[in-house]
Amino acid sequence: MRFAPGKYDKVILFFFAVFSIGLFFNWVFEEQFDEKVWHSNPSRRYKMADDIIDDEIFIGKSKQDIIEVLGEPVDPLQSEKDILNYKIGTPPSFRELKREELIIVFENNVANEVFRVRMED
């Protein structure tokens, strides 16, 4: 017995293929966190921010461990509190350009939240 795909099967297969190709290109072009690039090209940090957040790279790490990897934060006075913030550049946009910062929040000297914010100039 031979399987002959119907009209709906072809539509579902088409959308599945488009979805799979989209995921593949997103994975290929998303920049993974690289400590060397973080230090050598600060204006491209925004490309690595999603990887840092999604993969929870720094969750559970101490403040000192993170500073050793990422370097000194933007506001040293904030680092005395339970927050570290790092400039991550300005992602391209069709609207107004706003710089972004990566915020790392600590509880008992352990990172428990990482997110990005757009800064008003």
Side-chain angles (χ1 to χ4, degrees), residues 2 14 21 23 29 37 40 43 51 57 64 68 71 82 88 108:
R2 185 178 160 149
F14 171 77
I21 291 169
L23 283 177
F29 292 112
V37 175
S40 67
S43 64
D51 185 47
I57 293 173
Q64 190 56 39
E68 286 177 14
D82 289 333
I88 58 173
N108 298 323

Side-chain angles (χ1 to χ4, degrees), residues 35 39 58 60-73 79-84 86 104 106 108-111:
E35 187 176 347
H39 291 287
F58 296 114
K61 302 234 189 264
S62 74
K63 191 179 290 187
Q64 190 56 39
D65 289 342
I66 294 172
I67 291 173
E68 286 177 14
V69 173
L70 299 180
E72 288 298 320
S79 67
E80 296 301 319
K81 298 179 182 177
D82 289 333
I83 296 173
L84 294 178
Y86 292 91
I104 304 171
F106 294 86
N108 298 323
N109 199 38
V110 175

